[in-house]
Amino acid sequence: MKWDELEATCKVCTNCKLCERRHNVVFGDGNPRAEVMFIGEGPGEQEDLSGVPFVGRAGQLLTDMLKIIDLDRSQYYITNIVKCRPPGNRDPESAEQDACMGYLRSQVRMIKPKIIICLGRIAAMRLIRSDYRITKEHGQWVKSGPFWMTAIYHPSALLRDLNKRPETFDDLMSIQEKIREVCTHTYPEQQN
Ligand code: URA
């Protein structure tokens, strides 16, 4: 299947009950040829209304944070574990995650990122380890097959708790370092 076919299939998906209340499927945004991929948990209200991930308050914070390390959406791809909004922004249920994982797997297979960054514990528990502890393990790197993976606090956690921001700043520095180490075209000025 090609990227456009995958997106078209996802946009009419009825694999789980989240399809019943959605306004838009939020497939993903950014550059599908990027070396860096960010994965959150699921769309919120603004994302459901616009069809674009991470555009609400938390998304704006994330966008600003990533600017600190010179990343904009032309240099990464961003999506979620579930592509439709869980009502009231509750955590996506495991059956909903299961129903949606095929899309994410296909996205990862086609993008072939070098680095995958989980945004928050739900994504980290799904993609890194089911007993992942975000408070203890954020910012640590694991090599999983061809991918380098890490997790940072979800930007909504950073909106609620300012004390987590300095640790996240350190994690961003570590992401920048890893990009310099393993990516070849993310930072345009870089020659390696
Ligand atoms: N939170 C997420 O996890 N994903 C979004 O797209 C927006 C908020």
Side-chain angles (χ1 to χ4, degrees), residues 26 39-45 47 52-56 58-59 78-82 119 154-156:
V26 181
I39 303 176
E41 60 184 74
E45 184 182 21
E47 290 77 18
V52 183
F54 287 96
V55 290
I78 186 161
T79 186
N80 287 295
I81 299 279
V82 296
L119 299 167
H154 194 284
S156 357

Side-chain angles (χ1 to χ4, degrees), residues 8-157:
T9 309
C10 183
K11 287 200 162 157
V12 294
C13 178
T14 55
N15 285 354
C16 84
K17 63 182 181 303
L18 294 181
C19 70
E20 289 162 17
R21 290 163 68 169
R22 74 178 174 225
H23 292 93
N24 285 289
V25 170
V26 181
F27 183 67
D29 191 34
N31 183 352
R33 287 181 194 81
E35 297 170 299
V36 182
M37 194 164 172
F38 289 88
I39 303 176
E41 60 184 74
E45 184 182 21
Q46 294 309 313
E47 290 77 18
D48 173 59
L49 292 173
S50 64
V52 183
F54 287 96
V55 290
R57 273 184 74 221
Q60 192 51 55
L61 175 62
L62 178 69
T63 303
D64 292 344
M65 281 167 26
L66 295 181
K67 269 196 202 126
I68 298 174
I69 55 167
D70 295 320
L71 289 182
D72 62 40
R73 286 197 183 185
S74 68
Q75 290 143 306
Y76 59 86
Y77 192 79
I78 186 161
T79 186
N80 287 295
I81 299 279
V82 296
K83 312 300 196 216
C84 297
R85 183 190 183 201
N89 298 345
R90 64 161 170 73
D91 291 348
E93 294 167 3
S94 38
E96 294 160 352
Q97 296 183 30
D98 293 344
C100 219
M101 274 306 284
Y103 298 117
L104 182 61
R105 270 192 218 102
S106 299
Q107 286 174 309
V108 171
R109 197 180 328 111
M110 290 185 211
I111 294 175
K112 299 192 199 69
K114 301 231 166 72
I115 297 179
I116 295 178
I117 297 140
C118 301
L119 299 167
R121 57 176 264 280
I122 299 284
M125 289 170 70
R126 186 76 208 202
L127 300 175
I128 300 179
R129 255 191 14 261
S130 58
D131 61 351
Y132 192 88
R133 298 287 307 273
I134 189 88
T135 47
K136 287 206 178 124
E137 298 179 67
H138 68 88
Q140 294 177 16
W141 289 96
V142 292
K143 187 90 198 281
S144 171
F147 314 114
W148 280 102
M149 300 187 73
T150 191
I152 62 174
Y153 284 117
H154 194 284
S156 357

